[in-house]
Amino acid sequence: MSDEDLWRALRGITDMPYGAGQIAALEQLLRRVDAADDRHLAFVTRMQSTVGYIYGGEPAKSFVTFSWCLAEFDRDPQPYHQRHLHNLLWHFKYMISGLLNFPEVPLDRTYAVLDDMERRYRAGGHSLQTVHKHRFRVADHVGDADAAAHWYRLWQTTPRDDLSDCAGCDPTSQVGYLADSGRDAEAVALAEPVLAGRLSCNEQPQSILTALLLPYLRTGRGESARDAHREAYRRLRGNLANLWDIGDHIEFCTMTGNEARAVELVERHLDWLDRAPSPAAAMHFAATAAAALRQAGQSGAVTVYRRAAEGRPAGEVAALALADELTRTATGLAARFDSRNGTTHQSEWIARRLAVRPDGQHLPLSASVRRRAPRPIGQEPAPVRAGAERQAEAPVVVVPADAGPDELLALAEQSWGRHDPARFRAALAAYDERFGSEEVPPRTAAHRLAMRAAELGDEDDIPAAIEMNRAALELYREAGEAVTAHVVAGRLGVLLTRSDDDADEGLTLVREAAEALDRDGDARQRSAAHDRVALALLHRERWAEALAALDLVPADAGGDPHLAARIALHRAHLLEQSERVEEARAAAAEARRIGRELGVGELVTASCLTYARTVDDPADAVDACDEALRVAPADAELPVRVARARALLSAGRAPEAVDEFVEAVTLCVERGAEGDSFLRWELANAYRMVGRLAEAAEVAEEAVLGLDRMGAQAEADRCRHLLAGVYAGLGEIDPALALLEQLAGNLDGPDNLPHRAQVLEEAGGILYDADRDAAGAERFAAAATAYRLGGLPLDELRARRREAYAWFWADDRSAAIRAVEQVDGLAATLAGQPDPPVTYELAMAAEAGARVLTAEGRPDEALARLDGVPDRLRSIEAFGEAAQVETLTGELLLRLDRPAEAEQLLRRVLGGLPADSRPVRQTAWLLARALDLLDRPDEAAALRTEHDLDADD
């Protein structure tokens, strides 16, 4: 590479986000720079590497690059050194902070660097304000309170200058000292004007907001503390260099009673401890994480997922065991610091971190889980109900005292068929209490086994239910109860069809049972038998055969309205699966009608949910979910809330959908149900739709963590894609790009090429919009390659066109020309296709090529490319783009000294543009220029006045 190429590469790397990627690029460049033997470039590259190491999470490497630069500066001063002297002096501050964080570095070495820093600042006529600040930091670190107070006073009373820390970082350190001194109100007052101003440092405002967490909390500013936590953590969470501050946020969550969130943060960043930026950061994080895990572990068997590291497989770790391990890590490191410092300050400080517990007042932090109000001690938990009807007391079930065993089992059977679980359980409990230990006839024993199978089926313990039904079937057959045996055989068959291994046996059983009951059973038994055949076929996804089985059932289902409602529900589900939506909706409506008449909440709930899935109008779906929520059994509340949230979203009522999704996630977490990560993903999207991007980011991060933990990579990647868009919307470009890069890596298979290309193109767009044009061009080029490999030539053309534009704005004309050549080759293969998307891309490709050629001083070729392009754009109603191309044509005509033609064209374009549109000023400027060239200065002046243009522009 030439020196020019190396300088260009350095500029590109400087635009990269801090982190491992930038560090790797810097180190690779440094090897090439040293081989090129360019002292200036070697110096600047190492200066940039120092910054990259500090903010990228590898500060120990900065000691080497800083020392090299300082030695080079002293050994053989060069003119270019003076241009970088300010930054070199600034880097002394990084060194003091960094050396303190490594216990293997003797304290004398830190003092020596401080003395050298002071000498150089004095020699340059600079204020010693920041020198005093760093002497304060050393004193504070070793626990010398008197010296810390002395240096703090000097720091505060010495005038600032251009080597002082920024307007955010200086107050951040002050806030920390005041908070540690118990002066929380002063800390908050000091920070208020700082936060009200403009902070441009890349450490702010997250650093000062983190420092304010406890002062806010201890002065009763709970909302400010919550907002500070959310904003600061969001900015910190993506960079390994912020591990220390992450620990502060974990501790804040523990103190405010947000144990679950504290554990989530620990789990999310736990693997950072394997590559901690410094021992000090590892010590602090380990201590705060240990306190959080110990607090969470007191409430039960909490586990944390720990990612794999060298010599350690990935897996779940018990919270308390991990807390003990992290405690040993923190105390061991504290002892090493104290041995170096000759004090016990760090061990005492870590002991306080390890002892942190909730302060007694809960501060809600989570955007995805709503904490329930705690119940008074001794009060039993009330059953979870969805609507007002759940607040009423459950009806008292009275079982006849004189009922015999067969009567009790008949009552249980009847109650089970009528969806009356309370009476069902009461009848069985009475049977067990009165007759459970007595000898009963085989028929009665078989009936009890069949009812036990029903209990187990309701609990979704299918293997046990199958076992009980087999036992009941055998007893019924031994007792000669043929009809009842066929009923139980049918039930057993339905359960068996839920498994691939036993499906054939199950289908045989239900069919044989139905044939027998058609011959020997009553009308209700015949109807139920065909319903069981349909259920078995439904389990095997044989929709048409299942519907045919239901067609054999009479409309009144043998006189049993409860069975009729179930059959209508089964029919609705089968029709829905068969994409016969209108018929499915009608069947669901019928089930809903019968359920209402019977007053059975379970049936109404299920039919309302099916109806909601099949209606065209989302408002009707919301109404159906509202009805379901009023009557849903406790175990059905979660699916109802999820359905209602989705319906609200479809109905354009996203703010209400957010609240409903929060309720759903809360229920899922409270009940230990699976799927909360999927619901958080949907909640994140709802937050995005209402413009609450900070909450969307927080919840999507939680979802990604959970989906990764489940091994659901496809869903996790889709959620990452959502999260990247949210980050971009928040202006957090680097985290968005990091996610897109990860996605591109995950989508490296041949089947994923179109998605990989899309992700790369999105990354290019973000970089291009951020004026990081060269990096954007590289992503567009990679996207074009992926589109080509995926057989998508039109998408490849678009990506190449965008690449050409990006190289153009990056001022890399040779790369832009190469991209245009590729654009031309692709355009030739697509020419003549009449599809509007092809017409559009060919036209915009012509414009891109024209702009690049114009910059190359080839206006004739550029103009030739645009011939007929505006008309083709207008033919597909791309009127704005047509005007844009005509404006460029007018500019080219002026460059070719054809002002009369330019005037005619530009007047027409200007007359057709909306008055307040962006291109008006450019077109008016070009038209005024044409009038000048035509020696019509008065008209040109009038036009400039009309459009507020400066003649010298």
Side-chain angles (χ1 to χ4, degrees), residues 768-793:
Y768 181 80
D769 291 341
D771 292 331
R772 289 155 68 172
D773 300 308
E778 292 171 352
R779 299 305 189 285
F780 288 137
T785 299
Y787 282 131
R788 176 175 55 78
L789 294 172
L792 298 168

PDB file of all heavy atoms in Angstrom, residues 768-793:
ATOM      1  N   TYR A 768     -23.572   5.640   5.519  1.00  0.00           N
ATOM      2  CA  TYR A 768     -23.680   6.710   4.522  1.00  0.00           C
ATOM      3  C   TYR A 768     -24.385   7.918   5.125  1.00  0.00           C
ATOM      4  O   TYR A 768     -23.950   9.064   4.960  1.00  0.00           O
ATOM      5  CB  TYR A 768     -24.447   6.179   3.314  1.00  0.00           C
ATOM      6  CG  TYR A 768     -24.616   7.158   2.172  1.00  0.00           C
ATOM      7  CD1 TYR A 768     -23.585   7.379   1.263  1.00  0.00           C
ATOM      8  CD2 TYR A 768     -25.811   7.833   1.995  1.00  0.00           C
ATOM      9  CE1 TYR A 768     -23.740   8.270   0.212  1.00  0.00           C
ATOM     10  CE2 TYR A 768     -25.984   8.727   0.950  1.00  0.00           C
ATOM     11  CZ  TYR A 768     -24.950   8.939   0.048  1.00  0.00           C
ATOM     12  OH  TYR A 768     -25.118   9.820  -0.985  1.00  0.00           O
ATOM     13  N   ASP A 769     -25.483   7.676   5.855  1.00  0.00           N
ATOM     14  CA  ASP A 769     -26.223   8.779   6.479  1.00  0.00           C
ATOM     15  C   ASP A 769     -25.410   9.462   7.559  1.00  0.00           C
ATOM     16  O   ASP A 769     -25.652  10.634   7.872  1.00  0.00           O
ATOM     17  CB  ASP A 769     -27.538   8.260   7.071  1.00  0.00           C
ATOM     18  CG  ASP A 769     -28.529   7.832   5.995  1.00  0.00           C
ATOM     19  OD1 ASP A 769     -28.369   8.261   4.831  1.00  0.00           O
ATOM     20  OD2 ASP A 769     -29.461   7.067   6.319  1.00  0.00           O
ATOM     21  N   ALA A 770     -24.447   8.733   8.150  1.00  0.00           N
ATOM     22  CA  ALA A 770     -23.595   9.302   9.190  1.00  0.00           C
ATOM     23  C   ALA A 770     -22.336   9.947   8.612  1.00  0.00           C
ATOM     24  O   ALA A 770     -21.417  10.295   9.358  1.00  0.00           O
ATOM     25  CB  ALA A 770     -23.207   8.218  10.198  1.00  0.00           C
ATOM     26  N   ASP A 771     -22.287  10.080   7.268  1.00  0.00           N
ATOM     27  CA  ASP A 771     -21.126  10.673   6.572  1.00  0.00           C
ATOM     28  C   ASP A 771     -19.854   9.846   6.763  1.00  0.00           C
ATOM     29  O   ASP A 771     -18.746  10.380   6.684  1.00  0.00           O
ATOM     30  CB  ASP A 771     -20.878  12.120   7.033  1.00  0.00           C
ATOM     31  CG  ASP A 771     -21.993  13.048   6.578  1.00  0.00           C
ATOM     32  OD1 ASP A 771     -22.610  12.771   5.539  1.00  0.00           O
ATOM     33  OD2 ASP A 771     -22.255  14.040   7.276  1.00  0.00           O
ATOM     34  N   ARG A 772     -20.015   8.558   6.995  1.00  0.00           N
ATOM     35  CA  ARG A 772     -18.868   7.650   7.024  1.00  0.00           C
ATOM     36  C   ARG A 772     -18.901   6.893   5.696  1.00  0.00           C
ATOM     37  O   ARG A 772     -19.180   5.695   5.613  1.00  0.00           O
ATOM     38  CB  ARG A 772     -18.971   6.725   8.235  1.00  0.00           C
ATOM     39  CG  ARG A 772     -18.715   7.516   9.530  1.00  0.00           C
ATOM     40  CD  ARG A 772     -19.349   6.919  10.761  1.00  0.00           C
ATOM     41  NE  ARG A 772     -18.763   5.654  11.151  1.00  0.00           N
ATOM     42  CZ  ARG A 772     -19.061   5.029  12.300  1.00  0.00           C
ATOM     43  NH1 ARG A 772     -19.884   5.601  13.158  1.00  0.00           N
ATOM     44  NH2 ARG A 772     -18.531   3.869  12.586  1.00  0.00           N
ATOM     45  N   ASP A 773     -18.630   7.664   4.640  1.00  0.00           N
ATOM     46  CA  ASP A 773     -18.959   7.215   3.292  1.00  0.00           C
ATOM     47  C   ASP A 773     -18.093   6.051   2.818  1.00  0.00           C
ATOM     48  O   ASP A 773     -18.592   5.133   2.152  1.00  0.00           O
ATOM     49  CB  ASP A 773     -18.836   8.395   2.324  1.00  0.00           C
ATOM     50  CG  ASP A 773     -19.771   9.525   2.686  1.00  0.00           C
ATOM     51  OD1 ASP A 773     -20.971   9.261   2.848  1.00  0.00           O
ATOM     52  OD2 ASP A 773     -19.296  10.662   2.835  1.00  0.00           O
ATOM     53  N   ALA A 774     -16.805   6.075   3.137  1.00  0.00           N
ATOM     54  CA  ALA A 774     -15.944   4.991   2.669  1.00  0.00           C
ATOM     55  C   ALA A 774     -16.363   3.657   3.285  1.00  0.00           C
ATOM     56  O   ALA A 774     -16.455   2.637   2.593  1.00  0.00           O
ATOM     57  CB  ALA A 774     -14.486   5.297   3.003  1.00  0.00           C
ATOM     58  N   ALA A 775     -16.633   3.680   4.584  1.00  0.00           N
ATOM     59  CA  ALA A 775     -17.086   2.449   5.240  1.00  0.00           C
ATOM     60  C   ALA A 775     -18.436   2.020   4.674  1.00  0.00           C
ATOM     61  O   ALA A 775     -18.701   0.826   4.485  1.00  0.00           O
ATOM     62  CB  ALA A 775     -17.179   2.665   6.747  1.00  0.00           C
ATOM     63  N   GLY A 776     -19.300   3.009   4.385  1.00  0.00           N
ATOM     64  CA  GLY A 776     -20.586   2.686   3.784  1.00  0.00           C
ATOM     65  C   GLY A 776     -20.428   2.044   2.422  1.00  0.00           C
ATOM     66  O   GLY A 776     -21.133   1.081   2.081  1.00  0.00           O
ATOM     67  N   ALA A 777     -19.497   2.558   1.637  1.00  0.00           N
ATOM     68  CA  ALA A 777     -19.258   1.985   0.311  1.00  0.00           C
ATOM     69  C   ALA A 777     -18.816   0.531   0.405  1.00  0.00           C
ATOM     70  O   ALA A 777     -19.238  -0.317  -0.397  1.00  0.00           O
ATOM     71  CB  ALA A 777     -18.197   2.810  -0.416  1.00  0.00           C
ATOM     72  N   GLU A 778     -17.987   0.228   1.388  1.00  0.00           N
ATOM     73  CA  GLU A 778     -17.534  -1.157   1.552  1.00  0.00           C
ATOM     74  C   GLU A 778     -18.699  -2.080   1.875  1.00  0.00           C
ATOM     75  O   GLU A 778     -18.771  -3.211   1.385  1.00  0.00           O
ATOM     76  CB  GLU A 778     -16.472  -1.221   2.645  1.00  0.00           C
ATOM     77  CG  GLU A 778     -15.160  -0.533   2.244  1.00  0.00           C
ATOM     78  CD  GLU A 778     -14.197  -0.408   3.406  1.00  0.00           C
ATOM     79  OE1 GLU A 778     -14.611  -0.727   4.551  1.00  0.00           O
ATOM     80  OE2 GLU A 778     -13.050   0.021   3.190  1.00  0.00           O
ATOM     81  N   ARG A 779     -19.624  -1.609   2.729  1.00  0.00           N
ATOM     82  CA  ARG A 779     -20.788  -2.443   3.054  1.00  0.00           C
ATOM     83  C   ARG A 779     -21.689  -2.615   1.834  1.00  0.00           C
ATOM     84  O   ARG A 779     -22.219  -3.713   1.603  1.00  0.00           O
ATOM     85  CB  ARG A 779     -21.591  -1.822   4.198  1.00  0.00           C
ATOM     86  CG  ARG A 779     -20.882  -1.649   5.503  1.00  0.00           C
ATOM     87  CD  ARG A 779     -20.260  -2.915   6.064  1.00  0.00           C
ATOM     88  NE  ARG A 779     -19.776  -2.713   7.406  1.00  0.00           N
ATOM     89  CZ  ARG A 779     -18.681  -2.054   7.745  1.00  0.00           C
ATOM     90  NH1 ARG A 779     -17.938  -1.507   6.795  1.00  0.00           N
ATOM     91  NH2 ARG A 779     -18.313  -1.930   8.997  1.00  0.00           N
ATOM     92  N   PHE A 780     -21.877  -1.542   1.057  1.00  0.00           N
ATOM     93  CA  PHE A 780     -22.700  -1.667  -0.152  1.00  0.00           C
ATOM     94  C   PHE A 780     -22.073  -2.671  -1.120  1.00  0.00           C
ATOM     95  O   PHE A 780     -22.784  -3.468  -1.751  1.00  0.00           O
ATOM     96  CB  PHE A 780     -22.855  -0.312  -0.836  1.00  0.00           C
ATOM     97  CG  PHE A 780     -23.755   0.652  -0.101  1.00  0.00           C
ATOM     98  CD1 PHE A 780     -23.391   1.995   0.034  1.00  0.00           C
ATOM     99  CD2 PHE A 780     -24.960   0.244   0.432  1.00  0.00           C
ATOM    100  CE1 PHE A 780     -24.211   2.890   0.700  1.00  0.00           C
ATOM    101  CE2 PHE A 780     -25.786   1.136   1.111  1.00  0.00           C
ATOM    102  CZ  PHE A 780     -25.401   2.461   1.251  1.00  0.00           C
ATOM    103  N   ALA A 781     -20.753  -2.628  -1.220  1.00  0.00           N
ATOM    104  CA  ALA A 781     -20.068  -3.572  -2.118  1.00  0.00           C
ATOM    105  C   ALA A 781     -20.260  -5.007  -1.646  1.00  0.00           C
ATOM    106  O   ALA A 781     -20.514  -5.922  -2.449  1.00  0.00           O
ATOM    107  CB  ALA A 781     -18.580  -3.225  -2.192  1.00  0.00           C
ATOM    108  N   ALA A 782     -20.146  -5.216  -0.328  1.00  0.00           N
ATOM    109  CA  ALA A 782     -20.353  -6.562   0.207  1.00  0.00           C
ATOM    110  C   ALA A 782     -21.791  -7.011  -0.016  1.00  0.00           C
ATOM    111  O   ALA A 782     -22.060  -8.183  -0.326  1.00  0.00           O
ATOM    112  CB  ALA A 782     -20.010  -6.587   1.697  1.00  0.00           C
ATOM    113  N   ALA A 783     -22.736  -6.077   0.142  1.00  0.00           N
ATOM    114  CA  ALA A 783     -24.141  -6.414  -0.103  1.00  0.00           C
ATOM    115  C   ALA A 783     -24.358  -6.798  -1.558  1.00  0.00           C
ATOM    116  O   ALA A 783     -25.073  -7.769  -1.860  1.00  0.00           O
ATOM    117  CB  ALA A 783     -25.026  -5.231   0.274  1.00  0.00           C
ATOM    118  N   ALA A 784     -23.749  -6.052  -2.467  1.00  0.00           N
ATOM    119  CA  ALA A 784     -23.900  -6.351  -3.895  1.00  0.00           C
ATOM    120  C   ALA A 784     -23.373  -7.747  -4.213  1.00  0.00           C
ATOM    121  O   ALA A 784     -23.995  -8.504  -4.978  1.00  0.00           O
ATOM    122  CB  ALA A 784     -23.175  -5.299  -4.722  1.00  0.00           C
ATOM    123  N   THR A 785     -22.257  -8.096  -3.612  1.00  0.00           N
ATOM    124  CA  THR A 785     -21.700  -9.436  -3.842  1.00  0.00           C
ATOM    125  C   THR A 785     -22.663 -10.518  -3.349  1.00  0.00           C
ATOM    126  O   THR A 785     -22.888 -11.529  -4.023  1.00  0.00           O
ATOM    127  CB  THR A 785     -20.351  -9.575  -3.125  1.00  0.00           C
ATOM    128  OG1 THR A 785     -19.438  -8.609  -3.662  1.00  0.00           O
ATOM    129  CG2 THR A 785     -19.774 -10.968  -3.305  1.00  0.00           C
ATOM    130  N   ALA A 786     -23.246 -10.295  -2.161  1.00  0.00           N
ATOM    131  CA  ALA A 786     -24.189 -11.278  -1.620  1.00  0.00           C
ATOM    132  C   ALA A 786     -25.444 -11.365  -2.485  1.00  0.00           C
ATOM    133  O   ALA A 786     -25.976 -12.464  -2.706  1.00  0.00           O
ATOM    134  CB  ALA A 786     -24.551 -10.910  -0.183  1.00  0.00           C
ATOM    135  N   TYR A 787     -25.923 -10.225  -2.978  1.00  0.00           N
ATOM    136  CA  TYR A 787     -27.085 -10.253  -3.878  1.00  0.00           C
ATOM    137  C   TYR A 787     -26.758 -11.047  -5.151  1.00  0.00           C
ATOM    138  O   TYR A 787     -27.585 -11.805  -5.651  1.00  0.00           O
ATOM    139  CB  TYR A 787     -27.510  -8.841  -4.245  1.00  0.00           C
ATOM    140  CG  TYR A 787     -28.304  -8.111  -3.190  1.00  0.00           C
ATOM    141  CD1 TYR A 787     -27.960  -6.800  -2.810  1.00  0.00           C
ATOM    142  CD2 TYR A 787     -29.408  -8.703  -2.592  1.00  0.00           C
ATOM    143  CE1 TYR A 787     -28.694  -6.115  -1.850  1.00  0.00           C
ATOM    144  CE2 TYR A 787     -30.140  -8.017  -1.627  1.00  0.00           C
ATOM    145  CZ  TYR A 787     -29.782  -6.729  -1.260  1.00  0.00           C
ATOM    146  OH  TYR A 787     -30.508  -6.044  -0.320  1.00  0.00           O
ATOM    147  N   ARG A 788     -25.542 -10.849  -5.670  1.00  0.00           N
ATOM    148  CA  ARG A 788     -25.147 -11.567  -6.891  1.00  0.00           C
ATOM    149  C   ARG A 788     -25.128 -13.068  -6.637  1.00  0.00           C
ATOM    150  O   ARG A 788     -25.666 -13.852  -7.432  1.00  0.00           O
ATOM    151  CB  ARG A 788     -23.780 -11.082  -7.366  1.00  0.00           C
ATOM    152  CG  ARG A 788     -23.244 -11.844  -8.590  1.00  0.00           C
ATOM    153  CD  ARG A 788     -21.945 -11.244  -9.101  1.00  0.00           C
ATOM    154  NE  ARG A 788     -20.922 -11.164  -8.081  1.00  0.00           N
ATOM    155  CZ  ARG A 788     -20.187 -12.199  -7.662  1.00  0.00           C
ATOM    156  NH1 ARG A 788     -20.382 -13.404  -8.179  1.00  0.00           N
ATOM    157  NH2 ARG A 788     -19.261 -12.032  -6.733  1.00  0.00           N
ATOM    158  N   LEU A 789     -24.541 -13.464  -5.523  1.00  0.00           N
ATOM    159  CA  LEU A 789     -24.484 -14.891  -5.202  1.00  0.00           C
ATOM    160  C   LEU A 789     -25.869 -15.471  -4.950  1.00  0.00           C
ATOM    161  O   LEU A 789     -26.106 -16.660  -5.162  1.00  0.00           O
ATOM    162  CB  LEU A 789     -23.589 -15.112  -3.971  1.00  0.00           C
ATOM    163  CG  LEU A 789     -22.101 -14.785  -4.167  1.00  0.00           C
ATOM    164  CD1 LEU A 789     -21.359 -14.865  -2.834  1.00  0.00           C
ATOM    165  CD2 LEU A 789     -21.475 -15.720  -5.190  1.00  0.00           C
ATOM    166  N   GLY A 790     -26.777 -14.608  -4.496  1.00  0.00           N
ATOM    167  CA  GLY A 790     -28.142 -15.051  -4.261  1.00  0.00           C
ATOM    168  C   GLY A 790     -29.026 -14.983  -5.489  1.00  0.00           C
ATOM    169  O   GLY A 790     -30.224 -15.281  -5.409  1.00  0.00           O
ATOM    170  N   GLY A 791     -28.463 -14.565  -6.632  1.00  0.00           N
ATOM    171  CA  GLY A 791     -29.235 -14.518  -7.872  1.00  0.00           C
ATOM    172  C   GLY A 791     -30.259 -13.410  -7.909  1.00  0.00           C
ATOM    173  O   GLY A 791     -31.359 -13.583  -8.448  1.00  0.00           O
ATOM    174  N   LEU A 792     -29.915 -12.228  -7.359  1.00  0.00           N
ATOM    175  CA  LEU A 792     -30.844 -11.092  -7.316  1.00  0.00           C
ATOM    176  C   LEU A 792     -30.201  -9.895  -8.023  1.00  0.00           C
ATOM    177  O   LEU A 792     -29.685  -8.978  -7.383  1.00  0.00           O
ATOM    178  CB  LEU A 792     -31.178 -10.746  -5.861  1.00  0.00           C
ATOM    179  CG  LEU A 792     -31.875 -11.860  -5.064  1.00  0.00           C
ATOM    180  CD1 LEU A 792     -31.892 -11.537  -3.585  1.00  0.00           C
ATOM    181  CD2 LEU A 792     -33.302 -12.056  -5.580  1.00  0.00           C
ATOM    182  N   PRO A 793     -30.237  -9.867  -9.354  1.00  0.00           N
ATOM    183  CA  PRO A 793     -29.501  -8.836 -10.097  1.00  0.00           C
ATOM    184  C   PRO A 793     -30.030  -7.423  -9.876  1.00  0.00           C
ATOM    185  O   PRO A 793     -29.242  -6.478  -9.867  1.00  0.00           O
ATOM    186  CB  PRO A 793     -29.660  -9.270 -11.557  1.00  0.00           C
ATOM    187  CG  PRO A 793     -30.868 -10.147 -11.574  1.00  0.00           C
ATOM    188  CD  PRO A 793     -30.884 -10.837 -10.252  1.00  0.00           C
TER     189      PRO A 793
END
